[in-house]
Amino acid sequence: MKSNKESSLLSIEVAYGAEARQLIIPLQVNAGTTAYEAIELSKIESEFAEINIDEDPIGIFSKILDGKSNPSPREYKLQDKDRVEIYRSLIIDPKQARLKRAARKSKNNR
């Protein structure tokens, strides 16, 4: 039988992907820990200088914690097996990328 302390621990992950490197940090956190607190506990910011947890979008399994349709990172209380994801800015706008691909394809088909 698990003690109260063991049963209140959650297994979660904090993830970030840069262009050249991705990192997933597994953590054990107390029940009631928020997504924001988990990022701080993971110390992932020390691995990637570009991370700014006060400005970067944060989500759980691709669902943005925006404080509108979902709670904010400071409000969302983690569940067991959650993966907290920190999203980086896009290098190129997806619409622009599609236009470039279409232009290349059209040029190659001539």
Side-chain angles (χ1 to χ4, degrees):
M1 183 173 192
K2 289 184 177 181
S3 71
N4 283 343
K5 185 168 183 151
E6 285 178 310
S7 63
S8 67
L9 286 178
L10 307 174
S11 295
I12 61 108
E13 297 175 333
V14 175
Y16 182 75
E19 193 171 340
R21 178 175 164 233
Q22 294 77 42
L23 182 62
I24 297 175
I25 300 174
L27 289 176
Q28 295 275 308
V29 298
N30 292 319
T33 299
T34 66
Y36 188 91
E37 291 167 335
I39 293 169
E40 290 180 321
L41 290 168
S42 75
K43 300 187 181 358
I44 199 166
E45 288 175 289
S46 66
E47 297 286 330
F48 298 94
E50 67 269 23
I51 293 176
N52 180 337
I53 63 173
D54 291 314
E55 293 182 14
D56 293 339
I58 296 169
I60 303 292
F61 291 114
S62 300
K63 295 197 187 307
I64 300 276
L65 299 175
D66 57 6
K68 297 172 187 161
S69 59
N70 292 310
S72 74
R74 291 178 186 266
E75 297 168 335
Y76 180 82
K77 297 207 185 311
L78 294 169
Q79 306 296 310
D80 197 38
K81 309 292 186 218
D82 272 350
R83 183 178 62 226
V84 180
E85 301 163 337
I86 305 162
Y87 306 114
R88 60 187 168 95
S89 298
L90 297 175
I91 294 169
I92 184 170
D93 175 38
K95 290 179 185 176
Q96 292 298 322
R98 282 192 296 275
L99 289 171
K100 283 185 177 184
R101 282 194 304 273
R104 271 196 310 266
K105 188 174 181 180
S106 139
K107 184 178 179 182
N108 290 338
N109 287 337
R110 289 183 189 169

